[in-house]
Amino acid sequence: MARNRIRLSEVAREAGVSPATVSRAISQPDLLSPETLARVRRAADHLGYRPDAAARALASGRSMTIGAVMPTLDNAIFSKALQAMQAQLAEDGYQLLVASHDYSKAAEAECIRTLLARGIDGLILVGAERIAEAAQLLTQSGLPVVMTWCAPDGAPSVLVDNEHAGLLATRHLIGLGHRRIGVITGATRFNDRQRGRYRGVRLALEEAGLTLPPALACEQATTLAGGRMGCAQLLDLAEPPTAIVGGIDLIAIGCMVEAQARGLAIPADLSVAGIDDLDMSAHVSPSLTTVHVPTARIGTEAARMMVATLRDEPGPTTLTLPVDLIVRRSTGPAPARG
Amino acid sequence: MARNRIRLSEVAREAGVSPATVSRAISQPDLLSPETLARVRRAADHLGYRPDAAARALASGRSMTIGAVMPTLDNAIFSKALQAMQAQLAEDGYQLLVASHDYSKAAEAECIRTLLARGIDGLILVGAERIAEAAQLLTQSGLPVVMTWCAPDGAPSVLVDNEHAGLLATRHLIGLGHRRIGVITGATRFNDRQRGRYRGVRLALEEAGLTLPPALACEQATTLAGGRMGCAQLLDLAEPPTAIVGGIDLIAIGCMVEAQARGLAIPADLSVAGIDDLDMSAHVSPSLTTVHVPTARIGTEAARMMVATLRDEPGPTTLTLPVDLIVRRSTGPAPARG
DNA sequence: TCTTCGTTTGAAAGCGCTTTCATCCAGAGT
DNA sequence: ACTCTGGATGAAAGCGCTTTCAAACGAAGA
């Protein structure tokens, strides 16, 4: 950390006021008379004064820094949310300290620990599943926390109804006449988002009186390659599905790639639906039917909620964002019975 | 920032030593006798002591925080580099403070300013183009800076030879007999990476005695949609190219999508090559011929270089990572003359 | 005119840690 | 036996800012 050359006290001297006044000029300008304020400002500009963040943090107990712990940045949905979060926080004068754990619970706990030690004013998390140690750290720190995507009832959070998303995608396929529907999700073990979506799929099937044979459900990495592998697995079955739901768009797109590589036409031979609505999903060929999840908004709203909490502004402490089915070209009527 | 309950002085009392000793136990354990060290550690563990980052930063002048300014996080190449950077920094006990500017020079300057004010120990940047104000801020701050992807000669940096990447992709197409080669880059105005790649393309064409008619070069957003639009533009020409180089994979993939949507076969009717080698590029259909850019390694190495600099370790101050042509299925021999 | 109040400013005490500098002591050297 | 050396520890002075608390002042009320 570069020692700033100019200190607050020097600005005070230059402006002919006390250090306290300069401090107030920075953080509570209303308290000063317009003339004094102007004089201080002029002096500060003149000297090129920049307050020292560490000193402010130490003296005030606030660091103006929010921590965010994400599963990974290497996935459009999280990096997009992070991008939006950062933009919103910057607008309110906060900075974002980022950590990612690559879907490891232990690593997540470590992230939380270091972020906590680093002196943050609030913490934004993804999902609500974590080891006891991490949860305990959080509660005993008393730090404001906002969870995203998933959270237990009542916890401050910005959510999407993952179950509903799975439900919408599956209902759509059922409505098109599909009866044999496969599902490929990401690992559900440390991922309540994927679990919720999977539940939604099952729910829709049950509603329609259909069953999900175990062979038609598989877990894969949440990547395009994972989607390809999962699709290959399902298509190799003696009775392959006529439609597949991907737990995230990346998987669904992988499915399409694999199916097309095998000479299948989409949606004539196989319908594919995803969940997320990535930017690219509208542009792949055929365009992907999916459930839109307002990823960027999750970031924005989480940031807003965090700032509101820190400012003691009243307001809703949980927010559920809507998900919508976007019907595109990758889904169509079930093929006639052979 | 949650006020930590336990202070260093309390640990000192518990351990029966002076605060100075506890401080040394944390940051310079070698200075202490093994017994004292153990005693202090025990006391600290027992009380659940966590040092206050702001106080350490203020007293020591080091914040153990590195800032990174990226164009956007909403692009796999940057988020991947960031992910790697973060992982490496975490290993060395540093934290990452992230900001992004969405390809705006003014916003970038603002990012640099706030990051500087936030008290960071070093700054990692992408590219070397920025407004004078930002450049001046950097030099007068005297902060260690590492640039990535692009940088002027001699500046501490982790680079890739963007020009060479463009060259490799284009030579490959020329080698396949293509003579009418189109190129779609991202905006080159505030993007020295894309400019370098474009230069490489021109260079390869010149080498082969070919020209690049202005109509065959276009700039588009660095997205899949941008690639589609650019491809449409080139294919609508009276004399469309037989091969297209995309400034980044995302554009190249967009090209393929557009061409396929128009009923063209790849590579029979049109060859497409990209630069980056995204994860997905191996999995799209047909798989994309591209130039591999070690994105994650850029992040890792930049982090390493930063830490080495901060520790005053000797070592190379610029590092150029190799790029390699990866031939896949999206490129093939030029169609026979009609 | 005298009190009361609100507004604006200053004095000074920290915030929790790091870091000289000084001290102490044991063993090495003579 | 006596100085010298180096390692281990402590005392204390900040790091640059915020924030009570109190003072000073002019205006308003009695």
Side-chain angles (χ1 to χ4, degrees), chain B residues 20-299:
Chain B
T21 302
V22 179
S23 173
R24 285 191 270 258
I26 298 166
S27 27
Q28 316 173 63
D30 309 341
L31 292 185
L32 300 187
S33 74
E35 307 83 61
T36 318
L37 183 57
R39 198 140 39 90
V40 172
R41 291 237 165 106
R42 209 169 327 116
D45 284 355
H46 178 223
L47 296 175
Y49 171 66
R50 303 253 151 237
D52 178 296
R56 298 189 73 180
L58 178 58
S60 70
R62 276 168 276 114
S63 65
M64 300 305 279
T65 302
I66 303 298
V69 179
M70 312 298 274
T72 178
L73 309 181
D74 193 13
N75 179 326
I77 61 173
F78 296 122
S79 51
K80 188 161 197 163
L82 197 68
Q83 165 87 357
M85 203 180 284
Q86 198 247 296
Q88 180 63 43
L89 287 175
E91 204 155 282
D92 291 314
Y94 283 86
Q95 217 65 204
L96 230 206
L97 211 43
V98 178
S100 67
H101 53 69
D102 221 13
Y103 297 96
S104 143
K105 277 198 192 184
E108 193 203 26
E110 180 58 28
C111 287
I112 292 178
R113 192 177 315 117
T114 44
L115 242 30
L116 245 36
R118 193 59 77 210
I120 51 178
D121 291 346
L123 192 52
I124 297 179
L125 300 168
V126 174
E129 260 192 294
R130 47 192 54 91
I131 57 179
E133 185 207 345
Q136 190 193 339
L137 270 174
L138 285 178
T139 47
Q140 76 180 201
S141 75
L143 208 68
V145 169
V146 171
M147 302 194 207
T148 55
W149 265 277
C150 264
D153 278 355
S157 49
V158 178
L159 311 170
V160 289
D161 189 340
N162 287 293
E163 190 172 305
H164 193 58
L167 193 81
L168 286 179
T170 313
R171 268 191 196 153
H172 166 67
L173 294 171
I174 294 170
L176 287 168
H178 294 276
R179 291 296 170 264
R180 216 173 148 67
I181 297 175
V183 50
I184 308 173
T185 61
T188 55
R189 197 152 145 44
F190 170 34
N191 190 327
D192 36 16
R193 287 85 68 203
Q194 286 292 308
R195 255 200 329 269
R197 293 175 184 189
Y198 180 61
R199 244 188 346 260
V201 173
R202 299 195 65 123
L203 220 62
L205 291 172
E206 275 170 32
E207 264 181 9
L210 298 172
T211 58
L212 180 63
L216 282 185
C218 71
E219 291 194 5
Q220 289 288 345
T222 50
T223 60
L224 214 143
R228 282 195 78 157
M229 292 189 50
C231 185
Q233 190 177 322
L234 296 184
L235 293 180
D236 283 341
L237 291 174
E239 284 188 87
T242 62
I244 296 180
V245 179
I248 66 171
D249 275 8
L250 229 38
I251 286 181
I253 293 170
C255 265
M256 295 211 296
V257 169
E258 178 65 22
Q260 287 171 330
R262 289 170 172 235
L264 296 183
I266 294 178
D269 300 322
L270 180 72
S271 285
V272 177
I275 301 177
D276 275 344
D277 194 21
L278 298 181
D279 289 340
M280 61 178 296
S281 299
H283 296 286
V284 292
S285 179
S287 56
L288 182 69
T289 291
T290 187
V291 178
H292 178 76
V293 175
T295 308
R297 233 190 116 201
I298 293 177

Side-chain angles (χ1 to χ4, degrees), chain B residues 291-314:
Chain B
V291 178
H292 178 76
V293 175
T295 308
R297 233 190 116 201
I298 293 177
T300 313
E301 296 295 346
R304 275 212 189 106
M305 189 177 287
M306 188 79 247
V307 172
T309 307
L310 291 172
R311 290 184 181 155
D312 279 322
E313 286 170 10

